[in-house]
Amino acid sequence: MSSQEDESAGGGSEPAEPSSSPSTEIGTTSGDIITVTIGATVPTGFEHTAAEEIKEKIGVDARISKDRGRVFFPITTDKLFQVHLLRSVDNLFVVVEEYHHYQFKESKEETLMELQQLASTLPWTNALEVWKQNGTLKKKKGHRRGGNTAKSKPNCEGVGGSMASTEQQELPQENSAPEGWAGDTQAMETSTQDSDETGHGSKLIKFRVTCNRAGDKHSFSSNEAARDFGGAVQEFFQWKADMTKFDIEVLLNIHNEEVVIGIALTEESLHRRNISHFGPTTLRSTLCYGMLRLCKPQASDIILDPMCGTGAIPLEGAIEFNHSFYVAGDNNDMAVNRTVNNICHIQKRRADKGSMSGLPIDTVQWDLCSLPIRTSSVDIIITDMPFGKRMGSRKKNWDLYPSCLREMARVCRPGSGKAVLLTQDKKCFSKAISRMGGLWRKQHTVWVNVGGLHAGVYLLKRTGAVFVKLEDAFCVCLQFTSELILNWLQI
Amino acid sequence: MKLLTHNMLTSHVKGVTKGYPLLIKATEVKVNEVEFNPQFVSRMIPKLEWSALVQAAEELGHRQDLPGELVADYETNEEFLKKVHRILLEVEVLEGCLQCPESGREFPISRGIPNMLLNEDEA
């Protein structure tokens, strides 16, 4: 079918392994192509990057949610496999229903009751069809149409008037970061329901509910919501609850008044895809991808990561933007060895799949304050600078940042060169840049969240100013001054 | 270590002014397969120090018939580009060392990783 067609939309990049082969085995009973909305979680700060990638590889416009770190886009089921080509997303899910202005009831009891009633009224069909196509089960277990009586479907469409103020200031006000990822369905584990096979001899479906809740006006916790909603889902579908070995993961995301119910399409987060040998501060591949997109690598660009750690950034580049060349460097023995191990792991994986394994990347052990690299020979520098929390220290940063920024300016091509630098120590960084004598110019900054720390990704341009070594500058000054004095004396 | 990387590496021992190019003494060399991209090669050539590349290829015994000077119109000469592609990306030094041409200081290469760290007194 058409789903077998070109994966070339990504322009020479290697497709990620889809969690299933597209569509050939499904009982597409209807054979109809349906359109669904897919939700994706992305590193906060890179929502626009993800939207760009979605436009490029899938050809649709993505909508960025008010709840940071999420984007939504429509897709037809025949193109479903394309979502697995996306490199900027951590997790994917298919939307069952979205409420933008959900009116919660006053009391906890009423709210939870309403959530329970919701379960049987939601439009599950299409989402389940997509989940199935995406791959775990061959046969869909039939679900009972609710014999439940008149449920007033809770108001979803904008009532406009009354709810004027929606809490937009998320950061200071938020009650909690998403809670309840684990232990949502504790009540559900002790399910009294026996395995309940209906006629077809099909496998009993196991599921869990994961609830993410943020906002300070809710009367309930994510655990409670997951428990009650999950209970109703189980009742409705006659599935079995299982926290760990589940076939279907139902997502209940509540962010202030925005409620999204979805079904997960990715089993484990995609963000660790390249790295098999981790270090203490390995960066998510999705974040690496976002940083790389920011600097727009061109064909034959020479791209350096002078503090590569486990090599996450250059490795992602060598796979996704493979028309450039990457040199990964670090001073630490373990780091360079881990980098080489990670590269070998990917190359072996490629060889096993029958493609040419060699990647455009090399590893060197060096001191970044004294790089053994020819002046002005590098096009892009991209790196994750020590934050001073898990690695290094704030005090060390005061010395480290200026010297490494100078050295980076030296090797970077004047006029055309760029740098993309991630750091949490924003104060030290800004000060170091301003003292650089006009070698770097800040072009753009993306604010991100890395392991709970608020950090910045700075895009810098290397100005046309020629790099002059300190000793040379001193000699020039001395000569100039002495000439001046001589002139004065002769008058 | 690929020869493209070697083309950028230079000795930074204190006091050295002619630390480029580093001499290669290889004890183990491997040839990999890397996908050929003619645009990549032709755009990379102007960024290289051509004579250093030829010298390095010579030292590894992989020069074959790479010319000492760049041919005109190399951008469209696919055969030539393929040769350059091979020497830039496919030939790798796994074990050996790099030597500073002025001071003689040796930088070891192990598992394909050149160790360019200097001792305290050399920096």
Side-chain angles (χ1 to χ4, degrees):
Chain A
M1 248 195 77
S2 59
S3 56
Q4 297 293 351
E5 71 186 12
D6 56 285
E7 296 165 344
S8 61
S13 63
E14 162 162 289
E17 301 151 81
S19 54
S20 73
S21 55
S23 76
T24 42
E25 56 186 45
I26 295 71
T28 31
T29 45
S30 56
D32 287 344
I33 293 172
I34 50 182
T35 305
V36 289
T37 302
I38 301 285
T41 54
V42 305
T44 330
F46 280 106
E47 293 90 348
H48 290 282
T49 309
E52 252 179 50
E53 194 195 8
I54 289 164
K55 183 78 186 183
E56 192 181 283
K57 291 186 179 166
I58 302 182
V60 294
D61 290 318
R63 175 176 34 108
I64 297 173
S65 152
K66 288 186 291 205
D67 181 6
R68 277 160 57 88
R70 283 208 172 82
V71 300
F72 295 92
F73 59 95
I75 199 166
T76 50
T77 42
D78 58 333
K79 300 271 194 323
L80 194 59
F81 72 96
Q82 287 177 348
V83 302
H84 294 288
L85 301 177
L86 297 172
R87 309 290 289 188
S88 52
V89 307
D90 286 323
N91 282 297
L92 290 161
F93 57 93
V94 51
V95 174
V96 174
E97 186 66 273
E98 273 184 277
Y99 301 98
H100 296 288
H101 297 288
Y102 192 95
Q103 309 288 8
F104 289 102
K105 291 280 187 291
E106 283 295 317
S107 74
K108 189 202 295 203
E109 289 72 33
E110 289 179 298
T111 309
L112 292 175
M113 173 67 94
E114 200 171 61
L115 276 179
Q116 288 180 39
Q117 290 163 356
L118 198 58
S120 54
T121 63
L122 293 170
W124 294 98
T125 321
N126 282 357
L128 284 171
E129 180 61 36
V130 168
W131 167 83
K132 203 175 61 160
Q133 284 192 26
N134 189 61
T136 7
L137 258 197
K138 292 199 171 88
K139 257 184 162 177
K140 185 165 78 172
K141 185 134 171 60
H143 57 266
R144 287 182 296 156
R145 281 272 144 217
N148 317 355
T149 47
K151 288 304 173 275
S152 52
K153 193 165 183 180
N155 170 48
C156 38
E157 284 68 40
V159 162
S162 51
M163 295 313 285
S165 67
T166 50
E167 277 110 58
Q168 284 295 343
Q169 328 96 299
E170 300 162 22
L171 288 170
Q173 295 224 342
E174 251 172 24
N175 221 1
S176 56
E179 51 175 71
W181 275 102
D184 293 316
T185 53
Q186 265 141 9
M188 323 244 349
E189 283 215 84
T190 57
S191 162
T192 51
Q193 194 145 358
D194 284 329
S195 58
D196 188 72
E197 306 277 1
T198 48
H200 312 259
S202 56
K203 198 173 95 175
L204 178 65
I205 294 184
K206 293 187 274 191
F207 84 108
R208 69 173 255 172
V209 171
T210 307
C211 177
N212 237 319
R213 187 200 66 77
D216 52 355
K217 288 208 151 80
H218 301 138
S219 57
F220 57 91
S221 74
S222 65
N223 279 354
E224 290 165 335
R227 180 195 66 208
D228 286 9
F229 184 70
V233 168
Q234 177 178 38
E235 184 68 29
F236 186 59
F237 287 110
Q238 295 295 297
W239 292 335
K240 184 167 159 49
D242 191 323
M243 269 287 284
T244 48
K245 294 189 182 49
F246 49 89
D247 304 306
I248 297 187
E249 184 179 15
V250 175
L251 306 168
L252 176 59
N253 290 322
I254 303 171
H255 185 87
N256 291 322
E257 287 190 328
E258 206 176 80
V259 176
V260 179
I261 296 113
I263 298 179
L265 296 176
T266 46
E267 278 138 27
E268 48 183 48
S269 186
L270 300 167
H271 65 241
R272 290 276 185 239
R273 56 176 169 258
N274 298 335
I275 303 298
S276 47
H277 294 81
F278 287 97
T281 56
T282 299
L283 211 58
R284 287 188 275 177
S285 297
T286 38
L287 204 45
C288 296
Y289 179 83
M291 287 174 69
L292 282 158
R293 259 198 102 100
L294 207 59
C295 64
K296 298 190 181 21
Q298 304 297 304
S300 314
D301 270 348
I302 297 190
I303 303 184
L304 223 71
D305 182 348
M307 336 180 210
C308 66
T310 51
I313 300 175
L315 190 49
E316 178 72 18
I319 297 169
E320 272 299 305
F321 299 91
N322 61 358
H323 47 220
S324 307
F325 186 75
Y326 299 82
V327 185
D330 206 291
N331 62 350
N332 181 289
D333 282 339
M334 279 201 297
V336 291
N337 276 304
R338 282 195 183 119
T339 301
V340 165
N341 288 343
N342 284 323
I343 295 171
C344 288
H345 177 81
I346 300 284
Q347 288 181 320
K348 180 163 189 312
R349 205 167 73 183
R350 284 156 68 103
D352 289 344
K353 280 198 269 180
S355 39
M356 284 195 222
S357 58
L359 289 170
I361 182 170
D362 238 338
T363 310
V364 181
Q365 191 167 6
W366 62 35
D367 170 10
L368 95 134
C369 296
S370 171
L371 289 170
I373 300 270
R374 279 193 283 132
T375 299
S376 306
S377 59
V378 170
D379 295 296
I380 297 176
I381 298 190
I382 178 166
T383 196
D384 170 8
M385 299 179 69
F387 287 1
K389 284 225 184 312
R390 274 182 281 177
M391 193 125 262
S393 70
R394 284 296 171 98
K395 183 165 179 299
K396 271 200 205 147
N397 286 353
W398 285 108
D399 294 324
L400 178 70
Y401 279 26
S403 15
C404 73
L405 282 166
R406 273 184 71 77
E407 200 47 5
M408 294 198 264
R410 179 183 69 79
V411 303
C412 200
R413 246 181 270 281
S416 59
K418 291 178 257 197
V420 176
L421 309 173
L422 167 65
T423 179
Q424 198 230 350
D425 200 343
K426 305 169 278 261
K427 197 162 137 197
C428 184
F429 184 81
S430 289
K431 196 150 194 193
I433 293 281
S434 62
R435 285 190 172 161
M436 289 288 302
L439 291 167
W440 292 111
R441 193 185 66 231
K442 272 194 205 171
Q443 192 166 41
H444 183 53
T445 308
V446 179
W447 301 108
V448 299
N449 185 301
V450 183
L453 302 171
H454 193 238
V457 175
Y458 296 89
L459 173 62
L460 305 173
K461 285 282 284 175
R462 174 69 172 86
T463 64
V466 169
F467 182 89
V468 180
K469 278 205 305 254
L470 222 52
E471 311 88 76
D472 293 350
F474 181 68
C475 290
V476 169
C477 274
L478 202 59
Q479 185 168 14
F480 179 75
T481 318
S482 51
E483 277 176 24
L484 206 62
I485 293 171
L486 281 172
N487 270 332
W488 178 79
L489 283 173
Q490 276 164 4
I491 292 172
Chain B
M1 181 197 71
K2 299 178 166 66
L3 291 190
L4 175 47
T5 306
H6 166 264
N7 202 265
M8 293 187 290
L9 288 175
T10 166
S11 165
H12 53 147
V13 175
K14 191 163 65 174
V16 162
T17 48
K18 290 195 172 62
Y20 181 88
L22 293 159
L23 307 166
I24 312 181
K25 295 183 187 170
T27 52
E28 192 183 332
V29 176
K30 190 174 75 151
V31 181
N32 269 331
E33 227 190 336
V34 178
E35 205 177 319
F36 173 59
N37 179 345
Q39 194 199 27
F40 175 91
V41 182
S42 75
R43 286 178 61 149
M44 190 62 83
I45 289 175
K47 300 182 185 182
L48 303 170
E49 287 289 320
W50 185 256
S51 49
L53 180 68
V54 175
Q55 186 183 324
E58 181 92 47
E59 284 171 327
L60 292 185
H62 277 269
R63 179 173 174 176
Q64 299 179 341
D65 48 354
L66 212 60
E69 282 189 14
L70 276 173
V71 302
D73 300 330
Y74 60 75
E75 296 95 337
T76 46
N77 187 337
E78 181 147 314
E79 226 185 274
F80 175 74
L81 292 177
K82 279 206 172 125
K83 286 187 199 150
V84 180
H85 162 83
R86 188 177 172 278
I87 204 69
L88 280 181
L89 296 176
E90 295 190 326
V91 176
E92 280 192 57
V93 179
L94 291 180
E95 303 286 331
C97 72
L98 296 171
Q99 188 178 40
C100 171
E102 191 177 311
S103 66
R105 206 295 198 180
E106 287 188 350
F107 299 95
I109 303 177
S110 157
R111 288 188 81 203
I113 310 169
N115 184 344
M116 308 299 294
L117 292 174
L118 294 170
N119 303 324
E120 292 201 354
D121 48 328
E122 291 171 303

